Structure formats: structure tokens, C-alpha cells
Amino acid sequence: MTQVLEPATEEALAEVAPAGVEETDAAVARAKAAFPAWRAVQPGDRAALLRRLADAIDGARERLATLEARNVGKPISDARGEMGMVVDSFRYYAGAPERPTGDTIPVAGGVAMTFREPLGVVGLIVPWNFPLTIASWKLAPALAAGNTVVLKPAELTPLTALEFERIALEAGIPEGVVNVVVGAGRVVGQRLVEHPDVAKIAFTGSTEVGRGIAEGAAATIKRVTLELGGKSANVVFADADLEQAAASAPMAVFANAGQDCCARSRILVERSAVDRFMDALEEAVEALRVGDPLEEETEMGPLISAAQREKVASYVGEDAPVAIRGSAPDGKGYWFPPTVLCPVSNDDRAAREEIFGPVASVIPFRDEAEAIRVANDTIYGLSGSIWTRDGARALRVARAIESGVLSVNSNTSVRVATPFGGFKQSGYGRELGPHALDHYTEVKSVYYATGS
Ligand code: NAD
């Protein structure tokens, strides 16, 4: 048995039995056996089952949110919002089975039509920062498209996935359609990647592990989608509403204690506005409430683990000066204060690597061309923001930044109805929106000879 810890207290929250290769193979076999019947469930019935599942999750929302808040160390208000998104994901994709998806194409001597067929057994491998939310972005479209799944949660945060498996069964999802296997990435994850009966891996996690998964999947020509790391730019022009940009910037990095692939951890500020922006930013960072995840007012909790805290600390005091430092509790818990480095060069390690903690780098820029060049000077391309009152410039810069998800005068990234995913080494494939369904189906073309 291994202990699952509560990062705010460093106490054990639960014990789980990690699976090995044999248990993983058994889960894949269950999923494979369940596939023919699940894909044959009539569209309206599959839609109804997914709606029932959404309702069941909704009913368990507070319990799931509390479990997630305790296990990840995230503020309970955030965890509640995330569970809302889990419910919304299932409601959104519940509409998919009854939506038309094919084409009819007139061709010589007959007609061709296309169908979108499910893939079979899909392996879902997810990280610890948004455990059930990210799982739901994969589960909902995969199940709606008629696949069966084996879900591997991260070692540090398996609890809501286990609850989900139980809720799915109770909601009437047939046995074997959803299988959760808890265990090490190098054992369970790797086996799913290698397994000949797994048709696809949908992965969210680090770029390093994602690279290994793409390599491993090549042996069986498995389909792969990868949602990986980020080092996104929050570009603030001098003509922006600086008060609003500065008020919003802290949570664009420090939400989930900075353990967010969409974190806008490089804040690019036009030189003439740096002083005004930093004054407003300091006020906003100092007002942040860092503390007990289960307190209603808490905005930032601890980091996930001692190892993560050590890694985050290694970026502070290295190249750039610490300009702003917020507060964090003393004593037990993996706390780290919200920290802003300024001025940072885009060549500094803090600006190049994904820190995955509450450390923001402020990088001054001269003009629009330099802002675009610096924003794109990274191996990543996941999210980003542009703050300006000049609409034409906003669109020009949005088109020029090599990134999958951008916001203008806002720092939000994720909506159930819009595609989410990365450019460059932030991955490939898209989750959410109608696009996700393409990644859980194959296109089949059928030619019907009509004789004329
Ligand atoms: P990780 O890559 O270490 O682990 C992710 C998952 O992969 C875990 O379940 C882990 O057990 C498993 N895994 C590890 N080694 C494996 C292997 N060899 N084969 C198969 N599976 C393996 O990532 P993490 O530390 O859990 O999460 C943090 C990372 O996730 C960050 O880099 C972050 O940017 C990224 N992330 C990306 C997104 C996105 O949508 N782009 C969202 C959240 C997190």
C-alpha cells in the first residue's frame, strides 16, 4: 500500500494499492470485452447514460470537490468550480452521439459516405494538478464516441478518479466501460502505451514524459494526443487598462499555486508602463490570501509535494531580483509564497523553463515587434494573453503568437465548447469543443455502387 498525502498538512489522507502490469492487462481486457456492446448502445441511449452520469457527478460535487481540495491542496472554491466543469464536460459531450458526423460525397458510379467510428480501448493518462477535470476532458468525448477507457491517474492524486469509477457504475455505465488503474507511470502508464489492445493514448503531463509516450506508441502505431507543458506570455501594452491587467495577472500565475500548464508565468510589460504596472501588481500580490485550502476565502494553497517546493525554490534568487514576495503560512505543509521576479531577461532559466509553482517573471519590452519575438522565444506554445485597448493590434498579436489558446483583455483559457491544446512542444491534438471528438474516432469512407 502507498500513502496518499494531504499537501496542506503533510498527513496521510488515504492508502491505495498500486497496480502492476498484470492488473493493467486485466483492466485492458475488461475494456476490450466491454467495447462491442458499448459501441452498439444506440445514440439516444448513450446520450441518456452520459446525462445520467453528469447528474450523478453533480450530486456528488461537494464530496468530490472536498476530496480534490484536500488531495491537491487547492482552494475549495476552485475545486468546486472544477467539479462544475467536470459536470459540464459530460453534459456537453452527451449531445455528441445524436449529432450528425458524416458526409455524403457524390462520386462516379455511386455515392461515398463517411462515418466516424470509435477507436476501441483508449488509455487516459493524467497529471496531479487538475486530476478529475483533465480526466473528464478525455473521458467525456471518448465515451460519447463509443470507446471504452482505462484511466491512470497520477500517483499523488488518485482519489477522485477512484470515486468517479464508482459513480459511473452506479449511474448505469456498464461494467468494463470505465476502468481506473492506480499506479506508477513507469509501470501502469508504460504498459498502457505498449499494450497492443490499446488503440490510443490521451496524455496530459510534462513534455519530457510526453516525448517518451510518443516514442513508445510508435511501436504499435497507436494514436496519441499530448497536452504538455507551457511557459505562456501575458503581454501588457502601455495603452491597456493597467489596473485591470495588474489585478488579474497574479491569479493567472498563482492559481493552483502556479501548478497550471496555462500559467501566464512570463509577464511581458511595455517599458513605459513597467513602474505603474509593478505598483498595481504589488498591491494585488500582497492582497492574495494564501492558506488552508478548505477555508472559503483562500485563493492559493500549498504546492503538491516537498520535491515540487524544492524545485520551485531553485528558480528564485538565481538570475533576476525578487521584486515582490507575498505571504505563506509557516509550519507543516508545502507552502511557497507568491513571488515576482523583475526585471527578467527571456534568457534566464526562470523565463525558459516551466517552473510549475507561484513564481512570475516580469520581462520589459520596447515595442510590438519585440513583444511578439519574446513571446514566441520558447519551446512551448499553450496559452497566453494580450492586454491593449487597440483592437487591431490585439488581433495582430493574437495571430502572431505561436500558441493554441489566447485571450484578449482576459487571462482565461479553458471553456468546454472551445478547443484547447498546444503549438510546438506544448503538444498536439485538441481537447474540448467539437474538435476533441475527432481524436477519439477514425474516419471511415464507404463507397456504395448504385450502377449509374
Ligand atoms: P508527469 O508527466 O510527470 O506525469 C503525468 C502522468 O504521466 C502521471 O499519471 C504519471 O504517472 C504518468 N507517467 C509518468 N511516467 C510515465 C511513463 N514513462 N509512461 C507513461 N506514463 C507515465 O506530469 P505531472 O508532474 O503529473 O504534471 C505536471 C505536468 O503536466 C506539467 O509539465 C504541466 O505543464 C503538464 N500539464 C499539462 C496540461 C495541458 O493540458 N497541456 C495540463 C496540466 C498539466
Side-chain angles (χ1 to χ4, degrees), residues 159-179:
L159 302 181
T160 46
L162 289 168
E163 277 293 295
F164 174 82
E165 187 182 39
R166 208 178 48 70
I167 292 169
L169 264 182
E170 278 173 15
I173 303 292
E175 211 149 323
V177 172
V178 174
N179 305 272

Side-chain angles (χ1 to χ4, degrees), residues 125-130 134 137-138 152-156 183-191 193 203-210 212-213 226-230 259-262 308 311 354 356 380 382 420-422 426-427 431:
I125 304 178
V126 298
W128 45 257
N129 53 347
F130 298 98
I134 288 176
W137 300 353
K138 303 178 188 327
K152 193 207 94 61
E155 293 90 316
L156 297 173
R186 287 194 174 282
V187 180
V188 177
Q190 201 165 313
R191 181 61 188 153
V193 172
F203 172 77
T204 299
S206 59
T207 294
E208 192 190 343
V209 173
I213 286 177
L226 301 173
E227 300 288 354
L228 309 175
Q259 303 161 124
D260 182 348
C261 53
C262 290
Q308 190 66 14
K311 183 195 157 203
E354 184 182 46
F356 229 53
Y380 297 112
L382 188 55
F420 175 78
S426 287
E431 306 208 278

Side-chain angles (χ1 to χ4, degrees), residues 35 77 198 258 309 316 429:
F35 175 62
S77 55
V198 173
R309 182 168 60 184
V316 178

Side-chain angles (χ1 to χ4, degrees), residues 109-123:
V111 67
M113 38 201 140
T114 61
F115 295 88
R116 286 218 159 255
E117 305 287 11
L119 302 170
V121 179
V122 180

